[in-house]
Amino acid sequence: MRAAPSWALLALALPALALPAGRLALLPHGRERGDAELEPADDARSAALELSTALRFYGAAVRSLYVTTNGIIAVNEPSSEEKYLGQFPVSFGAIAPFMADLDTTDGRGNVYYREDSSSDVLQLASDYIKRGFPETTFDPSSVVVVTWKLVAPYRAREDHALEEKRNTFQAVLASSDSSSYAIFLYPEDSLQFYSTYSKNDDGKIPAMVGFSQASTNYYFWEKPGSYNVIANDEDSIRNLHKSSNAGKQGVWVFEIGSSSDSIVPAKISDVLESLESNEQDQEMTSKPFMSDYGSTEIRQQYVTSSTDSTEEDQHHVTYSVPQLAAEDFLTSYQDVTGTPSTESFYSHQDFPTAKAPPRQFQVQQFPPQQPQVIDVEEFDETGIVFRYHTDVQQTCANNRHQCSVHAICKDYPNGFCCSCIAGYKGNGRQCVAEGSPQRVNGKVKGRIFVGNNPVPVTFENTDLHSYVVMNQGRAYTAISTIPETLGYSLLPLASIGGIIGWMFAVEQQGYKNGFSVTGGEFTRQTEVTFLGNNEKLVIKQKFSGIDEHGHLTISTEMEGRIPEIPSGASVHIEPYTELYHTSSSVITSSSTREYTVTEPERDGVASTYTGAYQWRQTISFDECIHDDSHHAASATQQLSVDSVFVLYNRDEQILRYAMSNSIGPISDGSADINRNPCYTGTHNCDTNAICRPGTGNRFFCECSVGFRGDGNVCYDIDECSEQPALCGSNAVCNNQPGTYRCECVEGYQFAADGQTCVEVEKTKCQREREVALGSGGTFFPREIRVGHFIPQCDEHGNYLPTQCHSSSGYCWCVDRDGNEIDGTKSGPGVRPPCLSTAAPPVVIGPSVRPDTVPLPPGTHLLFAQSGKIEHVPLEGNNMKKNSAKALLHIPDKVVIGVAYDCTDKMVYWTDISGPSISRASLHGGEPTTIIKTDLGSPEGIAVDHLGRNIFWTDSQLDRIEVARLDGRQRRILFDTGLVNPRAIVVDPMRGNLYWTDWNREDPKIETSYMDGTNRRILVKDDLGLPNGLTFDPYSSMLCWVDAGTKRVECMNPNQLSRRKIVEGIQYPFSVTSYGKNLYYTDWRRDAVVAVDRTISIEKDNFQPHKRSRLYGITTAFAQCPGGHNYCTVNNGGCTHLCLATPGGRSCRCPDNTVGVDCIERN
């Protein structure tokens, strides 16, 4: 796409659009606008609303819609609400601005709808769409307006507080002949409830916001459609009215159909209101405020300006402060815990390409999802890259993935180093396009005493957002929700955001800014000492590199005492310089800074005073020690900072810093080189251009990679038009701002080179299915014989792990070759809990390192989600969902069972795709496979932290085994009387072992001593599909979850009396315990559910942002439970395996120990 000329872009920053200012207003609606109205009901739906212009939805044309009471617009006739509420996607296809059990009976709200082609409504819809997609030329010919006004929640029980609450929201669907957009509008305070009670059980179900494509029916097989979830928990729903993806609170815009078959969100960040007009007279020195949304540039016009253009040595341009638009201080109401960034909501992915020839490396070939789009997933979740050392020579051959895709890797005698290619800046591990604007997002927490106040101001999870105009070295930083009691007193500490200015400071020749040195991966510790009363403040910051959205991530902690600055005061900071000394992966600097405080006027007089503080900081980072050229930059560099602007807005509670930065030699400022416009930011280069300094004040502008022009104005290069064969045959080229991406057409996938599209080969499942359908693969299927079984395949052509007979209703599990697994056949209406052995497809391109992120102190839940293990910290009995993140990425594995060794802080897991058993240290490091032979389908796993052994079940080989923690000394405990063993837990202090077998003909829970003796059935009656099992060492309770009976139950193994904890749950898989709570994973809810077993009610649930099946779950205790057994000391005196029993132990030899000096004894 072409970037608009600067004069047109300027208009975008001015209030030209005919949109309501201030509070968000809905589009006109009601009977006076000719709206139809749904009849008052709990589950009403309209007749088909025939459309004059077809709605484009997931690439298909929709010619009629159905409006329902329950906050959805269906694209096919919807089923009754009990069949879809609480589930997503829905089979009939829907647009869901607020899907919940709503009720308009007895005058409890109205639902209005109409199709409209009046010019005023078309213009309003078009204006909203152009806010979210500034470059679109979309001109709607028809608009569907649906308004839910003051609607009530379904009254399922006596909840008087909920009954009084009402919600108002609106969906606008705008269509032209070629494309369609959806606009969701949520006025301020219009959402008063965020979940409703279910008619099927006693629990609450959060509302759902998203899009769902209709399912496709293939005779006796239904293929679910694509879907996109925008918000599905109370925190996300609560933030809808104050968040946005289109630059105005409460406005959400999506392209829902065009030539693409996916949902594309707008990506304009949330905005802040302008500063008060009485703040416009403060003086600052600056270039115009700019922002870059993709390829859209927004310039804020100045009120006044004064400069002498005739003087060549003039290097400061003084302007009156403009009205700061939010684009200058990019902030967002994104809540990492509840409301992920807009881009992370969607399954649509971008193919990372570059203007330089892509540097590819060999990866595994995999079947595609269609259309085939490649991207790097969830890079931000891993945190900082953990570095480790081994005895193996590190070379580019096995470490190319550690370099950026925009870097080259070079081997040296003792290792390798990465270097950014021409047109990119960074340290090689992280590279960004030269001259491109940058964004930084993060969180801030603090505990700060202000003045003599004995009570500290505490805050956490506060948003920090920064925007950097890179070719000017100007950084804008905003920190939100800082209370007024603290905000004004933090004004002197501009360097909280100044570290970002150092990272992207304009570089003088031969000198490097912070990003070129560190790649945005470093820690910074700063001590501030205020002169006078000697108050001290410690600031700790951690930069974790670039996430998958191209944004840098930062976390900040502040603790200490600072002088009080009175409310309403202003602070002025003069330009300053600071010396940075670099030595062996450490950068240090110190300086003394002054600031002037102007207090609020009293009796017409405003008093001023000057304060000062000493600033000492240490920056630690990893550098490549093998390449001497990395040390070519001077060990001492001077950072020059000017045009410093600080402001606290008490109404918004937002703290703002802005400053211009350049880095170069130690100088008093008189040298000519320091006056070059490239270094002072006074050039006129385009935002997507690089300023190249010449001699004296001369310079020239050069467009960044992917753009073309004279440097003053740069246009995006449309590679797809200029090079039609760029993506090769059987591929589609899509132009992007500054880049492009290739997608294979349907039926094709990328080859191992990541560029060539080759025909997808049919799998065994696909071939058998074609034969069963009698189609031969290409012709219309012949008549299907009644009672004939047709194999079901997933989108990659693998056998679905659960196969069902369409006529009889029987279902069973199959292995990867499609063979039925014994003991899994279930009667009609019951689906067995089958596990897929097919690993998720491997991403082509730079991948996430398979290292663990060091786990913070405290107790955590660890759970498996296919190719990764995530953690949720526990605070008391509550899940700290805000702090949940990925612990370990293993993208080509299917992780099932998870166990934890509290002694060595190690996590163990089973992988059925390998199959294998592996472990990794939670202190950080690379995972190690400890067992990879003689395994079938390892599922449950347990750790005996006292005897230092692991136990696991294998449902394919039908046996239970034990081994040492390193995988040596394996011994089979049981290989008879097992059909589908799954969960396994240990009670090391009492020497007992427990496991489940979900054999459909005879499900049971068994127990034995840990040496395999005294085996017996513990529970066999009233079981269905006992999937998960946990033993609480503190209460001695054995608890399990059953996907057949849909219950959570507990018992004391010594008393044999069972207690039902909760009933009517959906499809539990695994369970663990901590304190009074049980935590289980649920396949239908894609969630971790917390249950208070003492009062038998569900307390909470956690859904990862990326929805998929959750498998094993365990508790990572901060401290090991107290106690010991006879194997604790000196391995119990055993030569090999020491296996505990009640009141004793058995010494056992591993299997196949011929010639090994091993002694067995009890």
Side-chain angles (χ1 to χ4, degrees), residues 376-382 548 848 868 870 889 1106:
V376 180
E377 291 191 281
E378 301 177 305
F379 193 77
D380 61 333
E381 293 185 344
T382 65
E548 79 271 28
V848 176
K868 64 182 176 182
E870 298 205 20
H889 283 265
K1106 185 166 184 178

Side-chain angles (χ1 to χ4, degrees), residues 90 199 202 311 388 518 798 881 898 1078 1096 1124:
V90 293
K199 293 185 175 72
D202 294 331
E311 295 185 22
Y388 60 95
T518 68
N798 303 309
K881 296 184 283 188
V898 184
L1078 297 171
S1096 298
H1124 62 276

Side-chain angles (χ1 to χ4, degrees), residues 764-765 768 799 814-820 837:
K764 180 171 179 276
C765 180
E768 288 184 358
Y799 288 97
V814 297
D815 60 21
R816 68 190 69 201
D817 297 319
N819 303 313
E820 180 180 347
T837 58

Side-chain angles (χ1 to χ4, degrees), residues 502-645:
W502 166 72
M503 266 208 302
F504 295 106
V506 173
E507 297 172 328
Q508 297 187 27
Q509 190 168 0
Y511 294 84
K512 292 185 175 183
N513 61 24
F515 190 80
S516 293
V517 174
T518 68
E521 294 177 320
F522 62 89
T523 57
R524 175 210 204 194
Q525 177 144 336
T526 304
E527 184 179 275
V528 185
T529 303
F530 289 87
L531 305 181
N533 294 329
N534 209 37
E535 298 102 329
K536 287 190 178 181
L537 179 72
V538 174
I539 304 171
K540 298 177 181 178
Q541 291 177 301
K542 180 177 181 180
F543 285 77
S544 301
I546 299 173
D547 65 17
E548 79 271 28
H549 307 304
H551 302 168
L552 274 162
T553 55
I554 175 181
S555 64
T556 301
E557 296 183 22
M558 297 186 284
E559 185 166 3
R561 185 179 295 274
I562 61 178
E564 181 177 11
I565 292 179
S567 180
S570 62
V571 172
H572 177 71
I573 301 175
E574 290 289 339
Y576 61 88
T577 60
E578 188 173 351
L579 298 182
Y580 281 71
H581 309 279
T582 305
S583 175
S584 184
S585 299
V586 175
I587 299 172
T588 59
S589 72
S590 61
S591 63
T592 300
R593 300 183 193 163
E594 292 187 347
Y595 58 93
T596 302
V597 178
T598 303
E599 296 185 340
E601 286 190 6
R602 294 179 181 176
D603 301 325
V605 178
S607 61
T608 63
Y609 66 89
T610 300
Y613 56 81
Q614 290 181 337
W615 181 277
R616 294 185 179 88
Q617 67 177 350
T618 301
I619 297 169
S620 304
F621 65 100
D622 285 332
E623 65 177 336
C624 193
I625 61 176
H626 311 299
D627 182 4
D628 291 337
S629 67
H630 280 218
H631 308 286
S634 175
T636 300
Q637 304 186 116
Q638 178 174 290
L639 179 72
S640 299
V641 182
D642 61 18
S643 306
V644 184
F645 171 67

Side-chain angles (χ1 to χ4, degrees), residues 91-299:
S91 60
F92 48 81
I95 296 160
F98 191 92
M99 187 177 89
D101 197 348
L102 305 179
D103 189 352
T104 60
T105 57
D106 302 327
R108 290 152 50 87
N110 306 88
V111 181
Y112 301 105
Y113 62 96
R114 74 179 184 279
E115 185 181 26
D116 197 327
S117 57
S118 61
S119 58
D120 60 331
V121 171
L122 292 178
Q123 184 61 49
L124 283 171
S126 175
D127 289 345
Y128 273 127
I129 291 164
K130 288 175 181 176
R131 285 193 77 122
F133 296 88
E135 292 188 348
T136 185
T137 57
F138 177 71
D139 187 15
S141 57
S142 172
V143 170
V144 175
V145 181
V146 184
T147 310
W148 288 262
K149 190 167 186 177
L150 298 174
V151 293
Y154 167 69
R155 293 178 287 190
R157 57 166 63 177
E158 293 298 322
D159 188 337
H160 299 296
L162 184 62
E163 281 187 15
E164 300 304 317
K165 295 183 177 180
R166 299 291 184 268
N167 283 0
T168 296
F169 53 94
Q170 189 176 71
V172 181
L173 310 179
S175 298
S176 66
D177 291 336
S178 59
S179 59
S180 295
Y181 290 81
I183 308 164
F184 293 167
L185 301 176
Y186 306 95
E188 186 177 357
D189 299 326
S190 66
L191 300 182
Q192 298 180 3
F193 61 90
Y194 319 109
S195 57
T196 57
Y197 286 105
S198 166
K199 293 185 175 72
N200 300 323
D201 57 53
D202 294 331
K204 271 187 173 182
I205 299 178
M208 174 73 70
V209 180
F211 302 90
S212 173
Q213 184 184 29
S215 301
T216 305
N217 291 306
Y218 298 97
Y219 293 92
F220 303 109
W221 175 54
E222 182 180 278
K223 179 185 178 182
S226 301
Y227 67 101
N228 298 79
V229 175
I230 314 306
N232 61 352
D233 61 76
E234 290 206 356
D235 289 336
S236 305
I237 303 294
R238 182 179 292 107
N239 282 325
L240 285 172
H241 77 89
K242 59 182 181 180
S243 309
S244 174
N245 67 359
K248 185 175 181 64
Q249 292 182 20
V251 179
W252 297 83
V253 183
F254 309 89
E255 184 182 19
I256 60 173
S258 59
S259 57
S260 169
D261 61 355
S262 61
I263 304 295
V264 180
K267 295 183 180 179
I268 303 299
S269 300
D270 291 346
V271 304
L272 302 175
E273 301 300 324
S274 298
L275 296 179
E276 293 81 2
S277 58
N278 61 7
E279 291 168 344
Q280 292 183 7
D281 296 328
Q282 301 177 45
E283 294 253 322
M284 70 178 290
T285 304
S286 168
K287 276 287 290 176
F289 290 85
M290 297 183 185
S291 177
D292 180 83
Y293 297 116
S295 63
T296 305
E297 172 189 84
I298 299 178
R299 296 176 183 261

Side-chain angles (χ1 to χ4, degrees), residues 739-819:
T739 185
Y740 66 94
R741 75 164 185 248
C742 302
E743 299 176 11
C744 294
V745 298
E746 187 172 357
Y748 287 80
Q749 67 182 28
F750 282 112
D753 62 4
Q755 295 176 281
T756 309
C757 292
V758 297
E759 190 172 2
V760 178
E761 295 184 9
K762 290 185 173 65
T763 64
K764 180 171 179 276
C765 180
Q766 291 168 330
R767 292 194 301 270
E768 288 184 358
R769 180 176 174 81
E770 288 181 351
V771 171
L773 291 171
S775 66
T778 56
F779 301 102
F780 190 81
R782 295 194 292 271
E783 183 180 355
I784 299 172
R785 298 193 302 276
V786 176
H788 191 55
F789 168 66
I790 302 170
Q792 292 112 51
C793 317
D794 66 15
E795 66 265 36
H796 307 301
N798 303 309
Y799 288 97
L800 287 174
T802 305
Q803 298 285 320
C804 296
H805 195 280
S806 58
S807 299
S808 67
Y810 279 91
C811 297
W812 59 92
C813 301
V814 297
D815 60 21
R816 68 190 69 201
D817 297 319
N819 303 313

